[in-house]
Structure formats: C-alpha cells, structure tokens
Amino acid sequence: IGSRTDIVFHAFKHNKNNPALFDSDLLDKQGVKRVISILRDSRTRMIGQRGHKGLRVFMKSNSDYLRDKLLLLSEKCYEEIYNDLGSKPTIGHTAISSIIASKPASVFVTGFSFFTTPYTEGYRAYTSSENQLKRFDSSIEGHDPAKELKYFAALVKGSGVKIQLDPYLEELIKGE
C-alpha cells in the first residue's frame, strides 16, 4: 500500500492563486492509468470559474497526456455528493465519496486529514501552513472540511463497504 497509484483525482483549478500542480512525467513514472476530474459544476458553471482561461491553457498544454487518461466524473455523481454534503466538496472528498459510492469490496484510505494538518513539505509551496489551515475559516472556496469529516465518518460506519483507514484517520473519526 502506498507504492502505486492507478488513479489520480485532480481539480484542474488552475489560476494564479492555485497553480494546480500537475506533473505528467511524474504521473507516467508512477504508472498512473487514469486522471479523473470534475470539469462541470452546475452551481459554478465551470470549476474555477474565475480561472476558466487558466483551465483552458492548462488543458491545452497537457492534451497529449490527458487524451488517453482523462475521465470526467458525471455531473449527476458530483451533484449527489454536493447535495448529500450540503456544501461544495473538495476534490479529496469527491474522490472518497465517488469511490465508496461505486461499492468496491474494500478500500484503503490514507493521507487525508481533512485539513487538520499542514500540507506535506514541498506541496503547494506558494502558501504557508497557517494560510492553508485558515483558508476555510472564511469559506473562500465554499468548502467545509469539518462537515466533510463528519460525512466521511458516517460513510465509514454505514456505507456497507469495508473501509480500512490509516492510523491518523482512525483516530480522527473516533469523535465523529
């Protein structure tokens, strides 16, 4: 576990404030088979509406890589996740929810802290840990990580899917 990634969920929200780290060479090296994204969102018309021009540039500059690998999450699936949560889900929450909704026999979830910890060193170096942790206080993005954590804990307990968690997540959902 943790040595291979077959699927990557990516928001492709690409603008000057969010450079949407995407390294196709690294993904190839890691053997990523599919990249899943949400390009349409009826509530915002387009993910990253303010960064729509940046998104088009990003897609064009990565079109050769994405041609064979890109899958789009259905608008219906995204809407169900949005409605169940009651707020705009992060790409991580969308990934977890859509995977569990597909009813796999089992799933191992690791690396999620629902923004209770800073980013890993070197990831999104353009923002400080303090800014990253506070960005949701004012609902800049419309996301609510605390609500996502409660929703996730309910999924773990009641989805009917065998969900194995890393030790940090096990501890994190105990109080939910």
Side-chain angles (χ1 to χ4, degrees):
I1 293 175
S3 62
R4 191 179 96 212
T5 302
D6 291 331
I7 299 171
V8 169
F9 279 73
H10 200 290
F12 295 135
K13 185 174 180 184
H14 187 76
N15 58 45
K16 67 181 180 177
N17 296 322
N18 186 9
L21 305 172
F22 188 86
D23 185 338
S24 58
D25 291 335
L26 178 61
L27 296 179
D28 267 343
K29 182 179 174 184
Q30 293 175 337
V32 170
K33 294 179 178 79
R34 294 281 185 250
V35 177
I36 299 176
S37 188
I38 313 143
L39 297 182
R40 290 209 37 83
D41 171 357
S42 61
R43 286 172 172 73
T44 60
R45 300 286 178 238
M46 195 72 172
I47 291 293
Q49 188 174 17
R50 294 179 306 267
H52 181 64
K53 181 179 177 186
L55 176 66
R56 283 185 294 149
V57 169
F58 174 80
M59 293 299 287
K60 186 175 181 181
S61 67
N62 289 284
S63 63
D64 288 343
Y65 178 80
L66 293 172
R67 181 178 297 115
D68 299 327
K69 296 185 190 274
L70 181 65
L71 298 173
L72 300 178
L73 191 67
S74 76
E75 209 170 334
K76 180 182 179 205
C77 182
Y78 179 79
E79 288 291 322
E80 287 173 4
I81 293 167
Y82 189 115
N83 291 334
D84 288 348
L85 183 62
S87 62
K88 184 178 177 183
T90 60
I91 192 69
H93 179 81
T94 301
I96 291 170
S97 295
S98 62
I99 290 167
I100 292 171
S102 71
K103 297 295 183 191
S106 66
V107 65
F108 178 73
V109 182
T110 187
F112 286 90
S113 72
F114 296 90
F115 300 95
T116 60
T117 61
Y119 287 129
T120 300
E121 187 176 330
Y123 179 75
R124 293 192 177 186
Y126 63 89
T127 187
S128 69
S129 294
E130 294 78 27
N131 286 343
Q132 181 261 318
L133 293 170
K134 290 179 184 175
R135 69 186 274 210
F136 296 107
D137 290 346
S138 61
S139 299
I140 295 169
E141 300 288 334
H143 301 305
D144 188 341
K147 191 184 280 186
E148 289 185 0
L149 177 58
K150 288 180 189 302
Y151 183 93
F152 175 69
L155 277 178
V156 170
K157 295 171 187 165
S159 69
V161 173
K162 180 182 176 195
I163 302 172
Q164 185 180 4
L165 306 175
D166 68 25
Y168 186 84
L169 274 174
E170 280 281 353
E171 192 62 33
L172 195 59
I173 70 164
K174 277 185 181 176
E176 298 301 323

